[in-house]
Amino acid sequence: MGDASSEDILSNTERKAIDAHLLSKSTFAEGVNHISRPDVWCDKDKVKKPRRMILVVGNNRLYAFKPQTGKIDFDFSLWDIVRLSSDKPNEFSIQLRNDTTYTFTFDYKEDTSEIIAAVHFLFAAAFPGLPLAQRLIVNITPKEREKEIFEDDFINPADADENDGNDGYGNLGPPDVGMCGGFPMTYMAFCDHAQIPPLADLPWHVDNVLGANDSNRKFDSSNCGGDRLAPSIKPTLMSLAINTYFTELKLTQLKLSYEGLISIAQAVSQNRTLRGLTLSHLHIVKDSFDRLVDALALPSSRLPLTYLDLSGTPIEDKGMCALAGYIKSSPHLLSTLLLSDCNASKVGFMALGDALASSDRMVRTLTRLDLSLNKIEADASNALSAYFARTSALTTLSLAMTAASFAQLKRCPTLTNLDISANKPAKSNMAGDFVKFVAGSPQLSTLVLSNTPHVSDVLEDLLGWKNGSSNTPSLTSLDVSESDIADDAMERLFVLIGGHPKLRNLNVSGNFVKGKAKTRVPAIEALMKMLDEKGKTSDPIVSLIMSGSQKAHLKTDLAPVLFSLMNNSSLTHLDIKGHQAGDLCAIALGKLLQTNNTLTSLHWDENATSLAGFIQFKIGLSRNKSLKVIPFPLTDMFGAQSAESAATSKDLLITLANEIQAMIDTNNAAGHHLPRSTSSSSLALGVSRSGSLTSISSFSQSTSSSSISSLAEGNGGGGGGGLVPTSTSTPPSKSPSSSFISSTTVPLPRISSSSSSSSSSVLSPTKSMEGLHLVEIGAPGLPLPRRSPSEVNIHATIDTRAALSLFADLKGYTAGATE
């Protein structure tokens, strides 16, 4: 009977009832591996009398059905099983975790051997990462029967020693469980165990996306279902607890119950391979985080953490004090600790500062520390200073928006990246304590001072050189954005930067605030002169971010800066969005792109570009081969569409969007392929079967700033000033500004049919395009002098009046419908 089919074993009634029950389990990918009719008795039954049952071994569960009716009597999951025992050829017992034991007696010994082998195999395949101590125990007597059932390669986990390197799988090794250490099978088994419906696309994503990139062993909840993962977070974490493939776990923006946090605690206390743990922006129960820290600190915990990110999760002072205790006692060597926006105050940070200073391991291994968006104040500043004085490893520090006391903070000579933005120190302290703290880090290469009042008062102290020395001799990247620096102070800033031999990356966004005096022209001229003179040195400006803001935009004053870059041979990244410069900006960019062959990244949205401006920009881009990154100017494209009424103009805008995208794709195909990522804007697009843009509806614009913690990633810093396109998570709403390095991190533009929109309606154009004639910039019929390549370069002596004069000549001509 051991090889009988189900038709021989089951009646039609039984088969229909069993099929119906198993069909209800199809959510858990249930199947049938064995069917037989043993006698079954349970040690918890009041009457110790065997009952004939129909036993079905599924993929994740064992079922006992009643004969004749086929109704379910009892079942249990594979995870419930802890021991298989057999001392008779036709009998075996299953012991469950709740100490219940079921004994099965078969008419044929072949059924006994088959079901023991099947259960053992299914358990090993579902839970391959279990340590030996937690694997299924198998007791077969006499020993010779083990070879009959499992063949010669079987090694009983009870007889194996993990310390001797024995994995308990024998000569054939562990079962082939597929991608990512068998996570999909484990996840389905644990979902079945907890009777929690699985997230249907998660196993597919792990198999086909994560499994396809073996170099990136990160489980990131934001890419594995996002907040849809929350209902099945328990089986997910149970699977990760015993998974040996993933080395980094990232859970972000999830709403977790107390039970969910306990599941995280259990996972991190059991896992042995995770090096990085990110629990950012989680919504957790108040005063519950200490349970997670307690799990990390358990003697049985073997998690070798080197990276810990708790940014945006409200662990508060209680959780921070518990974390401080863990840091004091942990044998692991943390290199990165990110605690931004944790809703902690000076009490928690005093404990943290004391723990860091007293840990011999932390002063030797911790290289990156982010405490931004918390309340540190004077007492905690003093406690952290003891750590700063001892550390020999810390290179990246963020104290942005912490109300840190610079009078209490000690110098930290090992720092190379420092973010102290949005701290608003008193004006009387700027020239003393503030400058002294910055000067205490002579190796500093990146300095973020965005949203810092009175910073213009200490520019000379920070950037000036006297007798061959400076307070920032190694500085390569500077961010003074959103600091309300007036035009006259901007002029001084550019003069100082021009004299600084190392600076290569600059963010001055949201400045150029007009004072009472007419000082804009000297500031613009100083900027152009600085770019020109730095371009002739071995350390030119390679990244310039000067986007506008609601209270500070250059408008047409931006034009001469763009014209001066026509023959610039060093700048690779330019951000000029938000200046409302009109078509003059697009015209200037069109000219620039025809002669500049080093610019690879450009942000230029929110400059009130019309249809005519887009046409002129496209003409310039068609003659450029270097530009590879342009986040699509959705605000201006939408505005241009709203300003037009004729259907021909709408079609022309769509054609322009496709042509611009095609040109960028061509530039990327001809050179280095940059990784694609999601832009900060989304556009609802109609796309034809060929993939071309067919309609524009509406869009949503999100902020392009990234969290302060991204400072330490190192993008854009250092001598190379390289740009690394990457997608960034939405920052906390409290973030004071974008850091320099995250601002130089630019996404590759992509027009995709997968973009979403809140509106599906297509806006109607409002202005007729009939009868218009397109004239290319510099083409015959336009009164622009032709020059040799050496003459085309507009030097820094050209001022705003010259640019406006040029625009006065240009605006008499109308851009039309064909080149």
Side-chain angles (χ1 to χ4, degrees):
M1 187 174 179
D3 58 353
S5 65
S6 62
E7 286 79 4
D8 298 329
I9 300 174
L10 303 177
S11 67
N12 288 334
T13 302
E14 292 169 339
R15 186 181 300 106
K16 288 180 180 179
I18 293 174
D19 281 346
H21 184 83
L22 294 180
L23 185 62
S24 69
K25 301 290 184 179
S26 60
T27 303
F28 304 106
E30 191 56 284
V32 176
N33 298 288
H34 175 92
I35 301 177
S36 57
R37 287 179 178 269
D39 290 330
V40 184
W41 67 275
C42 175
D43 65 343
K44 298 295 177 67
D45 289 345
K46 294 181 179 179
V47 179
K48 298 297 188 291
K49 182 180 180 181
R51 297 178 296 156
R52 178 68 59 152
M53 291 287 176
I54 301 172
L55 178 64
V56 175
V57 180
N59 293 338
N60 307 304
R61 186 171 288 269
L62 273 68
Y63 305 88
F65 295 96
K66 295 178 180 179
Q68 298 180 352
T69 64
K71 293 183 178 180
I72 188 72
D73 188 274
F74 66 86
D75 62 5
F76 48 83
S77 71
L78 289 175
W79 184 245
D80 289 322
I81 305 173
V82 295
R83 184 187 299 269
L84 287 175
S85 303
S86 177
D87 56 7
K88 296 178 182 179
N90 65 333
E91 183 178 287
F92 80 95
S93 299
I94 293 179
Q95 182 181 341
L96 306 184
R97 295 180 187 275
N98 62 4
D99 290 331
T100 300
T101 300
Y102 289 96
T103 300
F104 301 84
T105 304
F106 297 87
D107 294 332
Y108 301 91
K109 68 176 183 179
E110 291 82 5
D111 285 335
T112 307
S113 299
E114 183 178 323
I115 195 171
I116 292 175
V119 172
H120 178 266
F121 174 82
L122 291 169
F123 190 96
F127 314 112
L130 276 177
L132 280 171
Q134 298 180 38
R135 294 216 193 124
L136 183 62
I137 300 172
V138 180
N139 293 329
I140 307 293
T141 56
K143 281 290 185 180
E144 289 75 16
R145 289 185 59 214
E146 286 185 354
K147 295 182 180 181
E148 294 177 6
I149 297 173
F150 300 108
E151 300 182 356
D152 293 339
D153 63 294
F154 175 74
I155 295 179
N156 198 324
D159 300 329
D161 188 347
E162 197 168 21
N163 295 324
D164 294 337
N166 194 328
D167 61 6
Y169 286 116
N171 297 330
L172 296 181
D176 183 5
V177 294
M179 297 293 186
C180 301
F183 177 88
M185 292 181 66
T186 307
Y187 173 71
M188 296 302 292
F190 276 126
C191 283
D192 178 89
H193 168 73
Q195 290 297 286
I196 295 175
L199 185 61
D201 54 334
L202 178 56
W204 183 94
H205 178 82
V206 172
D207 258 342
N208 295 277
V209 179
L210 300 186
N213 184 9
D214 189 63
S215 61
N216 181 17
R217 298 192 170 199
K218 176 196 290 188
F219 185 94
D220 185 347
S221 66
S222 60
N223 297 326
C224 296
D227 55 3
R228 295 185 299 118
L229 187 64
S232 65
I233 192 66
K234 183 177 180 179
T236 302
L237 291 167
M238 292 177 72
S239 304
L240 291 169
I242 62 174
N243 184 276
T244 58
Y245 176 86
F246 293 107
T247 59
E248 185 174 348
L249 170 61
K250 180 178 180 181
L251 301 177
T252 183
Q253 295 181 338
L254 296 174
K255 186 176 182 180
L256 298 178
S257 63
Y258 183 77
E259 183 183 9
L261 198 64
I262 294 301
S263 296
I264 297 177
Q266 292 172 342
V268 299
S269 67
Q270 295 177 44
N271 189 282
R272 299 179 294 171
T273 59
L274 291 178
R275 302 291 190 274
L277 179 62
T278 298
L279 304 174
S280 62
H281 303 94
L282 300 179
H283 303 276
I284 61 175
V285 179
K286 185 179 177 65
D287 294 334
S288 61
F289 188 79
D290 54 318
R291 289 294 303 271
L292 174 60
V293 178
D294 290 343
L296 285 172
L298 286 173
S300 59
S301 177
R302 301 169 62 180
L303 194 64
L305 281 183
T306 60
Y307 179 101
L308 181 59
D309 181 1
L310 305 176
S311 301
T313 298
I315 67 175
E316 303 180 319
D317 284 336
K318 184 178 180 181
M320 191 67 72
C321 290
L323 179 63
Y326 165 73
I327 288 174
K328 270 188 176 182
S329 61
S330 173
H332 305 307
L333 305 177
L334 274 179
S335 62
T336 299
L337 182 59
L338 309 181
L339 302 172
S340 173
D341 193 20
C342 286
N343 201 25
S345 65
K346 63 180 182 180
V347 175
F349 285 107
M350 286 175 64
L352 178 67
D354 178 64
L356 292 173
S358 61
S359 172
D360 292 335
R361 291 178 299 277
M362 290 299 172
V363 298
R364 288 185 288 105
T365 64
L366 189 64
T367 61
R368 181 181 174 191
L369 179 63
D370 185 353
L371 306 178
S372 60
L373 301 174
N374 291 293
K375 295 180 181 179
I376 292 180
E377 301 176 320
D379 292 338
S381 298
N382 189 53
L384 289 168
S385 289
Y387 164 67
F388 294 157
R390 283 201 65 199
T391 181
S392 60
L394 189 66
T395 59
T396 301
L397 173 67
S398 178
L399 296 174
M401 198 182 281
T402 57
S405 171
F406 293 98
Q408 302 294 328
L409 289 174
K410 297 288 194 306
R411 62 192 297 269
C412 187
T414 58
L415 287 180
T416 58
N417 301 282
L418 176 63
D419 184 348
I420 48 176
S421 55
N423 274 301
K424 298 178 174 52
K427 186 174 183 178
S428 58
N429 293 334
M430 289 295 291
D433 300 326
F434 187 85
V435 172
K436 185 178 179 181
F437 178 68
V438 175
S441 304
Q443 302 179 55
L444 205 61
S445 63
T446 300
L447 178 60
V448 181
L449 300 174
S450 61
N451 197 14
T452 301
H454 317 301
V455 71
S456 58
D457 296 338
V458 294
L459 292 175
E460 185 74 35
D461 295 324
L462 292 174
L463 304 175
W465 283 76
K466 295 179 181 178
N467 301 322
S469 64
S470 169
N471 284 327
T472 55
S474 304
L475 197 64
T476 61
S477 303
L478 175 66
D479 182 345
V480 290
S481 59
E482 308 294 340
S483 293
D484 293 334
I485 304 177
D487 286 346
D488 55 346
M490 291 299 291
E491 180 184 0
R492 295 200 311 274
L493 172 63
F494 293 135
V495 171
L496 291 168
I497 292 173
H500 198 290
K502 298 289 186 180
L503 269 172
R504 296 168 61 87
N505 305 280
L506 183 62
N507 188 344
V508 294
S509 301
N511 291 303
F512 289 101
V513 179
K514 279 192 173 182
K516 294 181 179 179
K518 301 290 185 178
T519 55
R520 176 62 52 80
V521 171
I524 295 296
E525 290 181 339
L527 171 59
M528 293 189 295
K529 183 177 180 181
M530 180 270 292
L531 292 172
D532 183 58
E533 292 182 350
K534 287 278 287 183
K536 300 173 183 176
T537 68
S538 59
D539 285 290
I541 298 296
V542 297
S543 176
L544 176 62
I545 303 173
M546 50 180 295
S547 56
S549 64
Q550 288 185 347
K551 60 181 179 180
H553 38 252
L554 294 177
K555 293 189 176 180
T556 54
D557 291 332
L558 179 64
V561 179
L562 300 179
F563 284 126
S564 73
L565 295 174
M566 288 174 60
N567 276 9
N568 183 286
S569 60
S570 57
L571 194 68
T572 61
H573 174 62
L574 178 64
D575 186 338
I576 53 168
K577 62 180 178 288
H579 283 291
Q580 302 301 313
D583 285 342
L584 178 57
C585 175
I587 292 171
L589 286 173
K591 292 292 290 180
L592 183 157
L593 292 176
Q594 295 184 52
T595 58
N596 186 291
N597 58 11
T598 57
L599 193 66
T600 60
S601 171
L602 173 66
H603 294 226
W604 67 296
D605 199 6
E606 300 175 54
N607 274 297
T609 306
S610 72
L611 174 59
F614 278 113
I615 293 172
Q616 302 294 354
F617 175 83
K618 189 219 70 169
I619 293 171
L621 181 61
S622 68
R623 299 175 179 178
N624 179 276
K625 302 302 179 186
S626 66
L627 196 61
K628 294 180 172 65
V629 176
I630 308 179
F632 204 80
L634 299 181
T635 301
D636 286 350
M637 180 64 76
F638 184 70
Q641 182 200 4
S642 300
E644 306 295 337
S645 59
T648 53
S649 63
K650 181 182 72 173
D651 293 341
L652 184 55
L653 276 168
I654 294 170
T655 301
L656 284 171
N658 282 317
E659 289 177 342
I660 291 173
Q661 180 64 63
M663 292 173 189
I664 293 299
D665 286 344
T666 299
N667 286 357
N668 277 287
H672 176 65
H673 290 267
L674 296 176
R676 300 195 181 278
S677 63
T678 304
S679 171
S680 59
S681 306
S682 61
L683 179 62
L685 304 173
V687 180
S688 68
R689 291 183 179 180
S690 63
S692 300
L693 182 65
T694 59
S695 67
I696 303 175
S697 55
S698 62
F699 68 93
S700 61
Q701 183 85 24
S702 64
T703 60
S704 61
S705 61
S706 298
S707 61
I708 291 294
S709 63
S710 64
L711 166 70
E713 295 295 336
N715 300 336
L723 303 176
V724 182
T726 180
S727 55
T728 54
S729 60
T730 305
S733 59
K734 294 164 58 180
S735 178
S737 69
S738 62
S739 70
F740 176 84
I741 293 170
S742 62
S743 295
T744 61
T745 303
V746 289
L748 191 69
R750 184 76 264 170
I751 297 177
S752 170
S753 60
S754 62
S755 301
S756 60
S757 172
S758 58
S759 172
S760 60
S761 62
V762 177
L763 299 181
S764 301
T766 56
K767 183 178 179 181
S768 175
M769 290 287 293
E770 295 179 1
L772 295 184
H773 176 61
L774 286 187
V775 180
E776 176 182 328
I777 297 179
L782 203 63
L784 294 178
R786 294 190 176 276
R787 300 169 178 166
S788 65
S790 61
E791 294 173 326
V792 169
N793 185 28
I794 300 179
H795 296 284
T797 54
I798 292 183
D799 60 11
T800 308
R801 291 181 296 277
L804 293 178
S805 177
L806 174 63
F807 183 52
D809 292 334
L810 292 176
K811 68 180 181 180
Y813 292 84
T814 306
T818 60
E819 293 184 25

